[in-house]
Amino acid sequence: MNQTIRARIEQIKRGGIPEGYEKTPFGIFPCDWDKSTLKKLGKFAKGKGIPGKEMKNEGIPCVSYGDIYMKYNYHFNQAKSFIDRTTADESIQVGRNTLLFTGTGETAEEIGKCVCYTGSDDIYVGGDIIIFSSVEVSPVFIAYQQYLPFAIKQKSGFGQGHSVVHIYKSDLEKLYCAYPKSKAEQEKIAEILQEQDRLIELKEKLIEEKKKQKQYLMEVLLTGKVRLPGFTDEWVVIPLGQVSDMSSGGTPLTSKQEYFGNDHIWVSIADMSSSGKYIFDSKIKLSNLGLNNCSARLFKKGTVLFAMYASIGECVIAGEECCTSQAILGIVPNTEKLNNEFLYYSLIQKKTSIIAMQQASSQPNLNKGLVQSIQIELPPRLEQIAIVNVLSKADDELDLLQKELEEQKRKKQSLMQLLLTGIVRVKA
């Protein structure tokens, strides 16, 4: 980023208006950009039909309200849902470069999600979708701009309803947008953002492939179907309770503020779900007084934490000394017989069969006895460590790829903010 752009950004942050820019009710944009409502730029229509029960795995391509929320972001060129001819005849057909807005959402911030259809085939659009077409401005440019804070704020302000929030065609017609006069410049900006999307998609596909490879390695290495070079000794199958000690945690009285402090990490199911292989911190921390006045106990670093309620089978390793809620079992392996990381991977690999063991009740759960009965395929300890090394390398590779993906996503958000507001200009 050159010094001129940096200075421009800093001036805007300080509340100033750079030369060649003007302040509008929705932000600062270049003076030579056009500013308009969508009503002046094209035509709106309403989707029709396509109930969920009519969706097929093949047939005539279509888009439903749910598809926009669950399957697409920004733009797409191929439909992932289909209908038969009878249903299509009751729906609305649209072509390339059409904008599709959702008419309802669970919150005001979700309504009016926008995607642009860029495919070459006509598709059919269901109810609760508002259609916009324009030849005046690049539809992909407008689609990306709908994800900027000023656009989201506009749409949320139109929201009506509580449990389900609605936005109407008459509301979307009032949406403000700003765009370069040159359509070539609009399309260049859209092209840059689409290229960034392609990089993100490729990284996501690579991560999925690496996850499948790791899953395969876990399946064959943790069951002895494939042996690592140099290992030939027999494995044993043994109940987990015979090679580990385990106990559950507890929760202090939440009404006692003095029970909470910074003395001890207190791990909940939510903390586990947002963690990776290791957990080093938690949202809630206990004081020594809180720990001493509940059934929680301290688990040493390296303890395997196992969820018995809610996210049954969720598993992490304590990266620091910690205590847990009663929904979590702390498993301390007999280190002479069972490596803690080998246990972690074994429990992850067995998660499906472990979930099938759950007790039926108002809240499905496992008890300590059931966890103790889990059968572990156990090679000699040196082979356990060798297997752990292979799987840890796969984890490290996935972690690196995930960090690269997050960096690409941050780059995209920065590009959107800079390009779609004209802070950075491009030559068509």
Side-chain angles (χ1 to χ4, degrees), residues 295-309:
S295 56
R297 54 161 289 187
L298 276 179
F299 292 113
K300 63 183 180 181
K301 178 180 177 179
T303 299
V304 176
L305 307 181
F306 179 89
M308 298 191 295
Y309 298 87

Side-chain angles (χ1 to χ4, degrees), residues 233-271:
D233 290 346
E234 292 294 320
W235 289 34
V236 296
V237 179
I238 193 167
L240 178 55
Q242 292 187 20
V243 287
S244 67
D245 295 320
M246 54 185 75
S247 57
S248 58
T251 305
L253 289 173
T254 55
S255 59
K256 299 282 189 179
Q257 291 186 359
E258 63 270 25
Y259 287 175
F260 300 89
N262 293 309
D263 296 321
H264 304 289
I265 296 169
W266 184 79
V267 179
S268 67
I269 295 288
D271 293 319

